[in-house]
Amino acid sequence: MSEGSRRVETRRKERRWTPAMTGETGLEVLDGILRESAPTAALELRRVPPAPNLQERLGSEATADEFDRARALSHEDGIPFWHSVFRLGAGTPGGVRQQVLNAALYGQATEHYATVTAGSDFVARAEQLIVESPDGNYVVATSRVKHDRGERHFLMLDFSVKERWIGATQSAVGAIRALGTPGTILSSGRSFHFIGDNLATWEDYSRFLYRALLLVPLVDERWIAHQLLARTATLRVSPNSQGDVPRAITHV
């Protein structure tokens, strides 16, 4: 058994992945884990209001050309956007501007929306809350769950690798195998997300995230940093602007 597997709390009853599970939404995957691991648990949903874009945060200091070049570099070479911004800025006489560095530390605020207890109608209740959320807000499920054994966390992870790359899916699968934690990979239409099969303490989950940082840039290090600061992770469960929600594509 790998180091990562030993550290993750499990009831030794692993979920069986069947072809019928392909296409499950993130909520349905979370529901399946709760049914087997913590049938009395309560899951928090949070709302995320629209965030100001980068140029709005920088105000008059922003230059469209500066960020257009960073986006082009990111798209062409597969370099994460902020890596591109810093790389280009460090190649100028003045270095990366202070305002840009300050903006890079921005963390999008979330607010408590609802708590949904596990049960036969868990998905339906959560989906109804998503429908009722204010326009312009999207809804995320947090990793934190509370049940009769105390607080535990879903093992969530976001990837940077883009689906349009030829080896993207296999790279994401390989990353999860390297981490030694079984679970489900979901597609958001642009990149991938992961939900582990079993619940973990925060200590074990944070160790999982620290180990995942060694796989940058396949995984999203900025997402990991924000989750570690908040001491809980989030997964979007409401539709994006195209009406898509993360859906399961494979089990590792």
Side-chain angles (χ1 to χ4, degrees), residues 25-96:
T25 65
L27 277 174
E28 289 169 330
V29 174
L30 295 174
D31 179 48
I33 298 168
L34 289 178
R35 285 173 183 268
E36 294 197 10
S37 301
T40 62
L43 172 68
E44 182 188 20
L45 298 179
R46 297 185 71 85
R47 289 189 300 209
V48 185
N53 64 37
L54 181 56
Q55 286 186 282
E56 289 173 337
R57 278 182 263 155
L58 290 172
S60 60
E61 296 294 332
T63 61
D65 179 65
E66 178 180 10
F67 299 116
D68 285 346
R69 287 187 294 119
R71 291 187 184 95
L73 181 63
S74 177
H75 181 80
E76 291 169 7
D77 295 349
I79 300 172
F81 172 72
W82 280 104
H83 289 214
S84 300
V85 171
F86 295 156
R87 175 175 165 181
L88 291 172
T92 64
V96 182

Side-chain angles (χ1 to χ4, degrees), residues 200-213:
T201 63
W202 173 251
E203 179 183 8
D204 288 342
Y205 181 31
S206 59
R207 189 176 294 113
F208 169 84
L209 292 176
Y210 285 126
R211 292 180 66 235
L213 283 171

